Amino acid sequence: MRGLLAFSYQLLAVCGIFLTNVINYIIASYGSRSWDVNAGWRWILRLGAIPAAAFLLSMVRAPESPRFLIQAGKTEEGFAVLEHIIGTEQARLRTDDIHASVKLETEMSHEFHDLFRPGLQKALIIGTLIKA
């Protein structure tokens, strides 16, 4: 389902950009050069704002990401979103997976911060500036 949603989002975004360019071309070729300068650009902006407003309104109903909710400490809300999408048993498994992933990322980020300790700053700068 996630792949289908990502594919649909990308396809609709590309189709929207293409359609906007076609409409902008039609608007720009509709009138004279002075009309384009005085009024045409306003039409282009107004018509481009319509799909953006529709997308903004549709996002009001979109649920938060379960991963974001669990990472923010709202495990019950994240579980509820997962449960709605994939069912109770799968949601329990996914919640545990997300918890493990968040814990691993937290540990990895601490290791990344170790690069900036006072004793390693000189080595980090030299290593960054050396060209292979």
Side-chain angles (χ1 to χ4, degrees), residues 1 7 16 22 25 27 30 46 50 69 80 85-86 88 100 113 131:
M1 179 178 268
F7 169 75
V22 169
Y25 175 77
I27 290 172
Y30 173 73
R46 288 178 189 147
I50 292 171
L69 290 170
I85 296 170
I86 58 177
T88 305
H113 291 302
K131 292 184 180 181

Side-chain angles (χ1 to χ4, degrees), residues 67 97-110:
R67 179 177 175 74
D97 289 344
I98 292 171
H99 273 295
S101 174
V102 168
K103 182 180 177 185
L104 180 63
E105 285 178 7
T106 303
E107 291 171 0
M108 296 296 287
S109 69
H110 290 305

